[in-house]
Amino acid sequence: MKRLVLGSQSPRRKELLELAGYEFEVRPSNADEVIEEGMPPEEAVLHLARVKAENVKVDENEVLLASDTVVVYNGEILGKPKDDQEARKYLRLLSDTTHEVYTGVCLKTNQTVDTFDVKTEVTFFRLSENEIDAYIRTGDAWDKAGGYGIQGKGSLFVEKIHGDYYSVVGLPLSRVARELKRLGIFPE
């Protein structure tokens, strides 16, 4: 029987796999998450997912799942904000606009490496400076691409999405489930 390994410390990815009923081991990657300047977002997330996967060893009966998510505004990748000022800048950019969220997934066995990406469009309401400041004070902007989490208080900013909600959270769960099934891994 094959075993699933999550190559990530992300609490959101862990929660999503648990929600779907998967049993898995967490074996985080210590890869440097660096992308080349000008790399298209769909390539960037696939690259980052592959780099993470390459840094985690798998045994014969294991399937490793590695993933990365980026927020893109006007062609620019918005990473995890370094400080309050950058978080504020990101939220001002996203206010009253539609942006894209790309999640790349890498599934690795000791014989194969498969990747795919999912794009979702997210539209924000117009945000006031008070809303932005209050959100930043919650601490929810940290460790999240684009400075917001759709699964938390950041959900109050979202007018609509077109695509996979769970991909915006950090893992396109239904697509992952289909790919894992193909590799012989099923939820409990």
Side-chain angles (χ1 to χ4, degrees):
M1 178 147 162
K2 294 197 177 190
R3 295 181 308 273
L4 179 60
V5 176
L6 175 60
S8 172
Q9 293 185 63
S10 165
R12 288 160 297 281
R13 290 186 182 104
K14 185 176 180 285
E15 288 169 9
L16 289 175
L17 287 174
E18 289 170 345
L19 174 72
Y22 287 99
E23 288 188 14
F24 56 94
E25 174 187 339
V26 175
R27 203 178 298 159
S29 173
N30 59 358
D32 287 333
E33 297 182 31
V34 178
I35 53 175
E36 294 177 23
E37 183 78 26
M39 184 179 278
E42 56 270 50
E43 288 180 30
V45 292
L46 292 176
H47 168 75
L48 291 170
R50 269 193 305 269
V51 166
K52 288 178 180 181
E54 289 168 0
N55 277 270
V56 179
K57 194 169 167 63
V58 291
D59 293 331
E60 185 177 331
N61 289 321
E62 293 180 329
V63 176
L64 174 74
L65 166 63
S67 183
D68 201 86
T69 301
V70 298
V71 170
V72 179
Y73 170 76
N74 237 12
E76 178 186 353
I77 294 175
L78 306 181
K80 298 172 184 175
K82 298 181 296 271
D83 53 30
D84 286 2
Q85 185 177 348
E86 190 166 52
R88 193 171 281 107
K89 173 188 167 191
Y90 287 172
L91 293 172
R92 284 177 182 147
L93 286 173
L94 300 177
S95 174
D96 199 29
T97 65
T98 298
H99 60 277
E100 297 85 36
V101 178
Y102 291 85
T103 296
V105 175
C106 183
L107 296 167
K108 175 181 136 179
T109 69
N110 64 343
Q111 296 177 345
T112 64
V113 176
D114 297 311
T115 60
F116 65 89
D117 68 283
V118 174
K119 173 186 162 186
T120 301
E121 294 178 345
V122 180
T123 302
F124 270 21
F125 287 106
R126 180 180 306 274
L127 307 179
S128 71
E129 288 300 310
N130 288 341
E131 288 174 300
I132 291 171
D133 289 341
Y135 183 71
I136 290 170
R137 283 193 304 273
T138 69
D140 201 38
W142 315 125
D143 89 327
K144 294 174 184 74
Y148 77 95
I150 196 169
Q151 71 282 2
K153 291 181 174 80
S155 64
L156 301 176
F157 301 157
V158 178
E159 181 178 355
K160 62 184 174 183
I161 70 168
H162 181 73
D164 185 331
Y165 167 81
Y166 290 113
S167 183
V168 180
V169 176
L171 193 66
L173 200 51
S174 58
R175 174 78 186 270
V176 165
R178 281 164 176 68
E179 297 296 329
L180 289 175
K181 180 180 177 183
R182 184 180 55 77
L183 294 170
I185 294 190
F186 305 90
E188 297 299 312

